[in-house]
Amino acid sequence: MIKVKTEEEIAILKENGILVSKTLAEVGKHIVPGITTKKLDMIAETFIRDHGAEPGFLGYGGFPYSLCISVNDVVVHGFPSDYILKEGDIVSIDCGTIYKGYNGDSAYTFKVGEVSSETQKLLDVTRNSLFEGIKAATHGNRTGDIGFAVQSYVESFGFSVVRELVGHGIGKRLHESPEVPNYGRRGKGVKLEDRMVICIEPMVNVGVRNIYLNDNGWAVHTEDGKNSAHFELMVAIRKGSAPELLSTFEFIENNI
Ligand code: MG
Ligand code: MG
């Protein structure tokens, strides 16, 4: 069943969205060559708890960390580890919070120092494809309109969209209905209702779209070992206006 939210619920989801956004920005300040991804996880957990919230991913389905940290060919769900970030890496940080009984969930792919021009293009295209998806997330449209917008944008640059993992509704639970695929056909899928809250989160590969699961049962890798990027925001569907962003990249990109 798909729940639309009350204004009170949307306000709390936005509090979570802002905290997740600020946590990502805090983590981002520490992303430099030489830092371990485990250290980034500790920074996030401390920041979230210092703001009176709980890390939303820690213990979710047995996930053992506060952040999913996915470096280079890891698409999503990477474990923080003793890996030391190096110049030219890209690192997707996916963060969740639980505050006042609701969830926050957003992700951003950071570069470590300077990256190749192909990698920069991957980051730009993936980030832009998220905003193409958000533009399509209007009242009366369907999830397929979002997927179509993301997919057609991404594929026009010769990159590929991961299909096995999708965006989702969010509320008291981290993953609620509907599923929000990053591929699809116009006019298909679930109808977007006023006050639905969803996470849109394109996962884009430089090479083939195929993936495999790491032996640890969590990390998802590209089959060809090429880079993958991931950006995610929370949006509320609004009748008669553009979708409302409940999380933001402003704190990251404006160095707030
Ligand atoms: Mg998500
Ligand atoms: Mg996420």
Side-chain angles (χ1 to χ4, degrees):
M1 207 188 78
I2 298 167
K3 286 194 223 107
V4 300
K5 269 63 181 184
T6 64
E7 292 301 338
E8 292 74 19
E9 289 179 301
I10 291 174
I12 298 172
L13 284 162
K14 192 164 190 171
E15 287 186 84
N16 274 279
I18 295 299
L19 179 55
V20 165
S21 304
K22 287 180 174 173
T23 308
L24 289 173
E26 180 64 22
V27 169
K29 288 175 193 162
H30 295 86
I31 294 182
V32 289
I35 195 166
T36 67
T37 56
K38 217 171 220 174
K39 177 75 182 165
L40 299 176
D41 188 65
M42 287 170 50
I43 289 165
E45 178 168 359
T46 302
F47 189 85
I48 291 166
R49 293 193 191 282
D50 284 351
H51 287 78
E54 300 282 324
F57 298 167
L58 187 62
Y60 181 85
F63 190 81
Y65 299 97
S66 296
L67 297 178
C68 297
I69 303 186
S70 306
V71 179
N72 297 338
D73 69 306
V74 182
V75 180
V76 285
H77 303 166
F79 281 0
S81 73
D82 294 325
Y83 177 78
I84 299 168
L85 291 176
K86 62 177 195 310
E87 181 91 14
D89 284 344
I90 54 170
V91 55
S92 155
I93 307 287
D94 197 347
C95 180
T97 57
I98 301 172
Y99 182 63
K100 297 184 180 173
Y102 288 79
N103 284 272
D105 180 16
S106 292
Y108 195 90
T109 303
F110 295 86
K111 45 186 180 178
V112 184
E114 290 304 309
V115 298
S116 71
S117 57
E118 181 184 68
T119 298
Q120 184 63 55
K121 188 174 158 198
L122 172 70
L123 297 177
D124 293 342
V125 167
T126 310
R127 185 189 180 286
N128 292 344
S129 77
L130 166 57
F131 287 94
E132 292 298 315
I134 291 170
K135 264 193 261 170
T138 52
H139 176 251
N141 261 3
R142 291 177 180 269
T143 52
D145 293 296
I146 298 173
F148 176 84
V150 172
Q151 180 187 9
S152 53
Y153 183 82
V154 167
E155 291 180 351
S156 75
F157 292 91
F159 295 143
S160 62
V161 166
V162 172
R163 301 193 183 193
E164 291 83 349
L165 300 133
V166 296
H168 51 91
I170 186 167
K172 285 183 177 161
R173 289 183 298 120
L174 174 59
H175 296 122
E176 299 186 352
S177 293
E179 291 195 339
V180 184
N182 298 300
Y183 65 95
R185 286 193 285 157
R186 280 180 178 145
K188 300 289 180 188
V190 172
K191 203 166 197 178
L192 303 174
E193 309 280 354
D194 190 31
R195 288 181 281 104
M196 270 174 54
V197 177
I198 57 173
C199 292
I200 305 176
E201 50 178 314
M203 288 149 262
V204 174
N205 298 349
V206 164
V208 298
R209 71 172 173 86
N210 308 63
I211 55 169
Y212 70 90
L213 188 64
N214 187 289
D215 289 341
N216 70 19
W218 280 98
V220 172
H221 295 250
T222 59
E223 193 178 82
D224 60 11
K226 292 185 180 172
N227 279 351
S228 183
H230 175 217
F231 290 81
E232 175 179 21
L233 287 171
M234 300 165 64
V235 303
I237 308 304
R238 291 300 193 182
K239 190 174 182 175
S241 67
E244 179 184 358
L245 293 181
L246 304 187
S247 61
T248 173
F249 296 146
E250 264 176 53
F251 302 113
I252 298 170
E253 294 176 351
N254 298 334
N255 273 317
I256 297 170

